[in-house]
Amino acid sequence: MTTPVNVAVLAAGLGKRMHSALPKVLHPLAGRPVVAYVIDAARSLSPRAVVVVVGHGADAVRQALAASDISFALQDPPRGTGDATRIALAALPADGVTLVTIGDIPLVPPEALARVVAGAREGRLALLTAKVPDPRGLGRIVRDAAGRVRAIVEERDADDAQRGIDEINTGVMAAPTALMKRWVNALAPDNAQGEYYVTDIVAAAVAEGVPVVAELAADEREVRGINDRAQLVAVERIVQERRAAALLRDGVLIVDPARVDIRGPLTCGRDVRIDVGCVLEGDVRLGDGVTIGPYCVLRNVTVGAGTAIEPYSYLVDSAVGEQCRIGPYARLRPGATLADEVHVGNFVEVKASTLGRGAKANHLAYIGDTTVGSGVNYGAGSITANYDGANKHRTVIGDHASIGSNCVLVAPVTVGEHATIGAGSVIAQDAPAGALTVARSRQVTVQGWQRPVKPSKE
Ligand code: UD1
Ligand code: CA
């Protein structure tokens, strides 16, 4: 049997450089908290236990990450990564090997974690290191003349020669749990920041003659830490590039991979085309042949095959059927459910309503809390008056009804099947099926009326 693995994720730090009320590790990266990526990578090790050390914004972090396979340990106050590791170890099983990772390196690949764990299983202290073009602010890997790792020196404690080292500590290490525990308990905060540094266990291992192995990350971009907003958005670009590349590989036409943002699970059928400037958030499902025009925002939306979402449309918590045409400039609010072949045109807003097959609302309209039958034509400028200032009421429009332009349907109200509502009507009572209902004042012509004339200037 292989040695069991425990994982400690350090996520208690202040994240001062974010200048944010939100704990640093909860900042969203492609729609998910930064630390969630690290936890997913840790899960790939099939660990026996995962403990997340929380402190700053502890409740928010606990809530965001709550899962049956994760426990939390509180570090208060934050006294450094060594102190956080000590607290984690106290909450983890005492045997096996323990992998410690900082919580702010979201792209760390599972393969790299596995290499570090393998080193620990051989009784060594294993580190994940990286060669970086700009090592500023990071812990440097100090090696002896024979190339053996001797210590990690933090930027603030480094001398000029050490500052020139381009191999850095990524913040991932693993060792047999018993050894790690002993080293961590013996840490002292004698450094420039007066903190307990987990990185000091390297020198402790060297002093005891325990071999230290440095596993070099294949790509330094994958182990970038997130400490400030600039680093956050830089890593966001990497994630977005990867997602766009994966979609292109799967046959989705991303018109410009640098101009799309996908912030949640996206599933696409064949021959989907997504134009520039789109933001797809949450769970988005696009059927075969769906096209999304430029600058659309879709959040938790399902779109049926063959449907075109025209430019500048904004769809949230909605379901659109097949062969529909939405937009340009359409707004689908939560609870909009559209059957097949529905047209929702420019400046049309739909909320908590169902539209039957082939229903059309092509221009400047509001449909709220309404059941719209199939084949309904809903005229330009018409609205449902669904709110009386206190309560919302429903409107029901029967199949094949025709609502003229500029009507107000004052809910609760029902328009029967095949009914026609004349333009400009205010419908406050039910309109019967099959008949024309008009509710507007009659047109009059005033004979002999004189248009006023301006007095002459002289
Ligand atoms: C740390 C490493 C540095 C490494 C760098 C890689 C130390 C001393 N330094 O520096 O060698 O190059 O990461 O990005 O380990 N945390 C706690 N409790 C604390 C302090 C921090 O849980 O008391 C957590 C933070 O939430 C964060 C992680 O540990 O997720 C790293 O802390 P941070 O302050 O960002 O360390 P760095 O200065 O980046
Ligand atoms: Ca950091």
Side-chain angles (χ1 to χ4, degrees):
M1 220 189 80
T2 49
T3 328
V5 185
N6 311 314
V7 175
V9 178
L10 312 185
L14 281 170
K16 250 186 248 149
R17 288 167 279 177
M18 293 299 272
H19 300 286
S20 173
L22 189 68
K24 177 175 81 175
V25 293
L26 292 189
H27 277 261
L29 183 68
R32 297 181 71 213
V34 162
V35 65
Y37 292 79
V38 178
I39 290 171
D40 275 359
R43 281 189 174 118
S44 73
L45 301 169
S46 307
R48 175 176 50 177
V50 178
V51 65
V52 180
V53 182
V54 295
H56 179 67
D59 288 341
V61 179
R62 275 197 198 98
Q63 212 181 344
L65 302 181
S68 57
D69 59 341
I70 287 173
S71 63
F72 298 92
L74 184 68
Q75 183 199 25
D76 186 22
R79 297 189 299 169
T81 51
D83 180 56
T85 304
R86 184 182 57 76
I87 288 164
L89 287 168
L92 285 167
D95 61 340
V97 299
T98 297
L99 174 102
V100 179
T101 174
I102 56 175
D104 59 358
I105 44 167
L107 301 189
V108 65
E111 154 280 321
L113 298 186
R115 277 194 281 144
V116 174
V117 164
R121 281 194 170 124
E122 287 159 13
R124 303 190 273 187
L125 170 59
L127 315 173
L128 182 64
T129 68
K131 296 248 191 193
V132 297
D134 178 10
R136 265 177 304 169
L138 297 165
R140 307 298 205 280
I141 305 298
V142 178
R143 292 174 182 264
D144 63 16
R148 288 172 304 190
V149 176
R150 307 310 287 174
I152 298 175
V153 179
E154 292 303 307
E155 168 97 16
R156 296 218 227 174
D157 305 296
D159 59 32
D160 284 350
Q162 290 166 337
R163 288 210 172 108
I165 297 171
D166 69 349
E167 187 186 7
I168 58 93
N169 170 36
T170 64
V172 176
M173 47 179 73
T177 307
L179 292 179
M180 175 98 73
K181 224 174 199 164
R182 195 169 74 231
W183 296 329
V184 163
N185 285 330
L187 289 173
D190 44 9
N191 50 57
Q193 297 197 85
E195 286 187 0
Y196 294 87
Y197 287 167
V198 71
T199 45
D200 286 346
I201 71 173
V202 175
V206 169
E208 284 183 18
V210 175
V212 179
V213 53
E215 293 290 341
L216 194 64
D219 179 355
E220 63 85 18
R221 299 195 333 155
E222 299 184 325
V223 290
R224 288 203 191 153
I226 291 180
N227 301 295
D228 59 28
R229 307 257 186 185
Q231 289 169 335
L232 178 68
V233 297
V235 172
E236 176 82 26
R237 282 305 101 208
I238 296 173
V239 176
Q240 294 301 338
E241 261 171 45
R242 284 182 177 180
R243 295 212 65 177
L247 287 162
L248 285 163
R249 238 183 350 257
D250 291 347
V252 178
L253 179 58
I254 302 290
V255 171
D256 181 353
R259 284 186 292 167
V260 66
D261 284 84
I262 298 158
R263 302 177 185 156
L266 169 66
T267 53
C268 294
R270 290 171 73 89
D271 296 305
V272 167
R273 174 190 157 101
I274 300 173
D275 216 319
V276 300
C278 291
V279 178
L280 308 183
E281 296 183 326
D283 206 342
V284 173
R285 293 150 198 262
L286 309 177
D288 292 348
V290 166
T291 59
I292 313 283
Y295 302 102
C296 291
V297 177
L298 278 69
R299 184 182 310 134
N300 299 319
V301 171
T302 305
V303 181
T307 287
I309 313 286
E310 303 289 358
Y312 300 101
S313 295
Y314 182 42
L315 285 63
V316 176
D317 297 332
S318 300
V320 180
E322 299 183 358
Q323 306 294 336
C324 293
R325 204 175 66 222
I326 309 300
Y329 300 102
R331 180 171 184 203
L332 300 189
R333 290 171 54 198
T337 305
L338 280 45
D340 298 344
E341 294 165 34
V342 166
H343 291 183
V344 169
N346 38 252
F347 308 107
V348 173
E349 174 181 346
V350 179
K351 186 215 78 173
S353 297
T354 58
L355 274 66
R357 185 185 190 94
K360 293 183 178 55
N362 274 322
H363 339 262
L364 302 156
Y366 175 56
I367 298 173
D369 303 305
T370 300
T371 304
V372 178
S374 59
V376 165
N377 192 59
Y378 194 90
S382 290
I383 67 152
T384 53
N386 57 327
Y387 186 51
D388 61 14
N391 306 294
K392 301 271 168 62
H393 299 283
R394 291 204 67 83
T395 299
V396 177
I397 303 173
D399 293 350
H400 304 288
S402 174
I403 312 296
S405 295
N406 251 26
C407 292
V408 179
L409 304 178
V410 183
V413 73
T414 297
V415 175
E417 290 182 11
H418 291 277
T420 301
I421 306 297
S425 293
V426 175
I427 300 296
Q429 288 155 41
D430 291 354
L436 169 67
T437 300
V438 186
R440 62 172 186 244
S441 51
R442 278 184 180 281
Q443 183 165 323
V444 295
T445 300
V446 180
Q447 298 293 348
W449 178 81
Q450 294 284 323
R451 187 186 290 177
V453 271
K454 287 183 185 165
S456 70
K457 288 231 169 111
E458 286 104 76

